[in-house]
Each structure stands twice: as C-alpha cells, then as structure tokens.
Amino acid sequence: MAKKSLRRGLFITFEGTEGCGKSTQSRLLYDCLKRSYDCVYTREPGGTAAGDYIRHILLHSKKIKISDMAEVFLFEAARAQIVREVIRPSLKAGRIIICDRFSDATIAYQGYGGKIPLKLIESLNAAATEGLKPDLTIILDIDINTGLRRAKKKGIDRMEAKDIAYHRRVRAGYLKLAKSEPKRIKIIKVESDLYKTQENIRALILRNYLTTKLCHFPI
Ligand code: TMP
C-alpha cells in the first residue's frame, strides 16, 4: 500500500531528562507511523555525518576540554546542519519527521542547566533552525533520581556526568518551557510500563495531529 505524505509535513520532537526513555518511545512511535506515512527518524546531536562527529566530541571525548560556550556552539552547529540537510527537505516533501531532541534541549540543558543566558540561546537557536519550530514537542517527564539510575545502567556520557543539581535545573527548565508554549509542548508522564507511555503518546497524536487509525500493540 502506498504511504501517505502530508501536504506540509509534520515535525515531532521528543525531549526529556536523562533516562526518561525518549529514544525507545520515539522509535516505537516511528515504527508505528512508518506503516502508513512517509516518515523520517533522526536525532540530535547527530543525524548527519557532521552531526555524528560533533556528537562524538560532545558526549564521548572525555579527555578534551570543552568550555560551556563551546558546548553551546557545538550543539548549534550540529543543529544547523541537520535542519539544512534533513529536516527542511523532509518537511518540504511532506514527510513526518521524528527527532530525538531539538532546540528545546539547548534551552533546558545549556540555558537552565548550564546557566548560559536564555536570550543568547534563543537567538542561536533561531539562527541554527532558520526559525523552524517543531509542530509538536513531547517531553517525557520522569523523576531525576529514577532517570539517572536507568541511564547509568548503560554507562555515563559527558552530559550525564554533570551533578544532580544540574539535572534538576534541566527538568525545571523543561517544565517551564511546557508552561510557556502549551500548544506546542506536551508533557507525558513516564509510566513504569513502557507500552502504557507509548499508548498515551499515540492518543495525544491522534487527538491533535493525525486522523488515520494507528496500529495497536503488538506492533
Ligand atoms: P541522548 O541522545 O542520549 O539524549 O544524548 C544527548 C545528550 O546531549 C543528552 O545528555 C542531552 C544533551 N544535549 C544538550 O545538552 N543540549 C542539546 O542541545 C542537545 C540536542 C542535547
């Protein structure tokens, strides 16, 4: 059966603090949507050859020094590339794009977490995204301790190694962002059953963005 394209594409991003399960949830959604729609799955930092190099520097090069401001510019550089190379062309072709993190992450992490002025980050975000904002952003909300415990099971990267106060500020930042843009940003509580969380995500998307009946589990 031919897959549907939308007239102007749909851009969905997933956000949340460490160990919230956003990669699993965004993938489950992608696996479901791609049965009926022309879909692209990607992530930040990454999603392009340049972005993958930058991701490696940011997350896995533990021995090199990266100042707070250099960190911001590296995230923004990866973003500028993915917007030009992947996101804009996919939207133009009417695809659904599911992106694991996007510009809200820099506000929450480097802004609220790292205390870089929000105004500066907002203007860098605007430049890197060429003014593009997601149609829908899903923040998966989880208690910080539970999330960090889950994340640590997979090994710790440079961002996860920041102290707990940093991660608490990141969560508070995400919650503030959701309050300031309630139409675009929706909070979904992380349930202990991952399929329940996924059901809530699909229900939200069906209510607001798509009309096609979505697949049920098992997918
Ligand atoms: P993740 O793909 O496992 O979520 O890892 C990405 C890490 O990078 C995560 O710790 C959040 C962090 N990050 C920022 O600090 N700022 C950003 O702008 C982005 C996109 C990610």
Side-chain angles (χ1 to χ4, degrees), residues 15-18 22-23 43-45 55 58-59 71-72 75-76 79 100-110 125 157-160 162 166-167 174:
E15 300 281 356
T17 49
E18 306 304 321
K22 101 203 125 33
S23 303
R43 69 171 178 181
E44 267 211 30
R55 181 181 182 92
L58 276 165
L59 302 184
E71 183 180 289
V72 173
F75 279 117
E76 297 292 356
R79 180 159 307 133
D100 184 344
R101 296 200 189 278
F102 194 60
S103 46
D104 297 306
T106 320
I107 304 265
Y109 277 78
Q110 284 65 47
N125 272 346
D157 66 32
R158 213 176 56 81
M159 298 305 294
E160 287 159 348
K162 306 222 181 225
Y166 180 96
H167 293 288
Y174 272 131

Side-chain angles (χ1 to χ4, degrees), residues 24-32 194-195 198 202 219:
T24 306
Q25 293 297 339
S26 54
R27 277 244 163 238
L28 281 171
L29 180 67
Y30 170 71
D31 288 342
C32 168
L194 76 91
Y195 293 107
Q198 180 66 196
R202 290 184 190 181
I219 55 170

Side-chain angles (χ1 to χ4, degrees), residues 22-23 26-27 30 39-43 96-100:
K22 101 203 125 33
S23 303
S26 54
R27 277 244 163 238
Y30 170 71
C39 284
V40 176
Y41 182 87
T42 192
R43 69 171 178 181
I96 298 179
I97 297 145
I98 297 178
C99 192
D100 184 344

Side-chain angles (χ1 to χ4, degrees), residues 73-139:
F73 280 100
L74 285 167
F75 279 117
E76 297 292 356
R79 180 159 307 133
Q81 191 60 36
I82 199 176
V83 166
R84 271 289 168 96
E85 197 177 320
V86 180
I87 299 175
R88 285 242 181 241
S90 303
L91 282 175
K92 208 167 161 214
R95 299 193 173 104
I96 298 179
I97 297 145
I98 297 178
C99 192
D100 184 344
R101 296 200 189 278
F102 194 60
S103 46
D104 297 306
T106 320
I107 304 265
Y109 277 78
Q110 284 65 47
Y112 286 98
K115 301 184 178 170
I116 302 267
L118 297 182
K119 281 263 169 280
L120 173 63
I121 295 181
E122 279 160 11
S123 61
L124 293 173
N125 272 346
T129 62
E130 302 166 10
L132 179 71
K133 283 215 169 190
D135 298 295
L136 167 66
T137 296
I138 294 170
I139 295 177

